[in-house]
Amino acid sequence: MEMAGLHTYADQHSIIYSPMSKDPSGFIRIQHDVMLETFYQALLRIGFSEEKALQCAEIFATNSLEGIYTHGVNRFPRFISYIRSGYIDIHAEASFKSSAGCLEQWDGNAGPGPLNAVKCTDRAMQLAKQYGMGTVALANTNHWMRGGYYGWQAARAGFVFLAWTNTTGNMPAWGAVDGRLGNNPLVIAVPYKQEAIVLDMAMSQYSYGSLDLYKTKKEKLPTPGGYDTDGKLTDDAEAILESRRALPVGFWKGAGLSLLLDVMATILSGGLSTADISKQNAEHALSQVFMAIDISKLGNFPLIEGSLNQIIRDYHHSAPEVPGRPVRYPGERIARTRGENLTQGIPVSGEVWEEIKRL
């Protein structure tokens, strides 16, 4: 598959060098087409087919375009390193194992996490068209990068969507000091107008990708996000990365939710638990669940749009804590960020971009 038009951008080095506001650490702006082409070429060189390279490059570029840099451009070098280390089989694809009506179990066969997730999201929607609700539980897969990508994928097709994944043990249970829980991201998406309402959250106050970004930018976290090595609550990202004691969202509630997400993913997929994954040399062979609901089959479907409009209208009438800073629903800023980054270029650390070009 030829990426017509993109080679011209890359050959002309169409890069906008402009520092990010409030950022002295060497961030630059890269045009979306340049980033997409760069990812594509790197994936081709490492052995992806043209079709898979394009699809995977599009996922990483879209995540970056929409402001999720921690699971887009910043994560790309690690993705390549996992392939080189043998944790990701670029030629493998998710395959069907067994069925229980609207629930299917699949094996990721250690294939690329983003491609497996797209395939399983599509299959969950196909099952939902048949049964009203469809679920695919996936074992032996790799990091899906940004879970919200699959929420948008389903919501734009008209489906309500829920998905979650387990991870390696990187967060302590409430009242503990060692990481036995995963920060197990959860995605909930609902179609809304031309966009969607999409909640994409880890069970830790900040994902480790976000902590890495704050460390790179040498900025404090907006709120405490974990503990330092002395056991004190801190807003210092570097101290949290050193202690590996991220703070569960909602304290004991987030810890409990993390545990149950791991339990459900493990049971439904027949795959590895966080405890099992943590025994490995790296985070791979994860268990994930993808659930789609075809709301067009509901008796109240004609009324849903009006109900959502009423809910969001009331939500937007919230009195802002900071005057002039409106309260936004999950996913609302994506369209604005997408537009800004298309116009101005995608912000990325110059150091990270040089590493990606060397790939």
Side-chain angles (χ1 to χ4, degrees), residues 82 85 87 142 168 276-286:
Y82 268 47
S85 298
Y87 299 122
N142 282 290
T168 192
D276 294 325
I277 295 166
S278 301
K279 296 174 184 176
Q280 303 176 136
N281 293 329
E283 185 184 68
H284 65 107
L286 309 180

Side-chain angles (χ1 to χ4, degrees), residues 51-185:
E51 182 179 1
K52 288 185 176 180
L54 179 57
Q55 185 181 24
C56 203
E58 190 277 331
I59 293 171
F60 275 96
T62 296
N63 291 347
S64 308
L65 181 69
E66 297 185 340
I68 316 300
Y69 316 111
T70 56
H71 293 77
V73 62
N74 291 358
R75 193 86 183 206
F76 190 76
R78 191 185 304 182
F79 179 70
I80 296 297
S81 74
Y82 268 47
I83 294 171
R84 288 174 171 162
S85 298
Y87 299 122
I88 300 174
D89 182 352
I90 62 174
H91 304 295
E93 296 183 9
S95 59
F96 171 83
K97 290 195 302 183
S98 64
S99 174
C102 67
L103 167 64
E104 291 184 349
Q105 291 182 317
W106 284 54
D107 189 329
N109 297 308
L115 301 187
N116 282 349
V118 165
K119 185 172 184 177
C120 289
T121 298
D122 280 335
R123 181 55 185 161
M125 290 190 288
Q126 292 170 6
L127 290 169
K129 288 179 182 178
Q130 180 179 358
Y131 295 104
M133 177 183 294
T135 301
V136 174
L138 177 66
N140 191 27
T141 190
N142 282 290
H143 197 305
W144 65 9
M145 300 303 143
R146 170 199 176 197
Y149 182 94
Y150 319 108
W152 286 92
Q153 176 187 344
R156 284 178 174 138
F159 293 84
V160 166
F161 182 77
L162 291 88
W164 64 93
T165 178
N166 62 9
T167 71
T168 192
N170 56 18
M171 187 177 75
W174 188 249
V177 297
D178 56 335
R180 301 281 177 171
L181 297 176
N183 61 349
N184 302 345

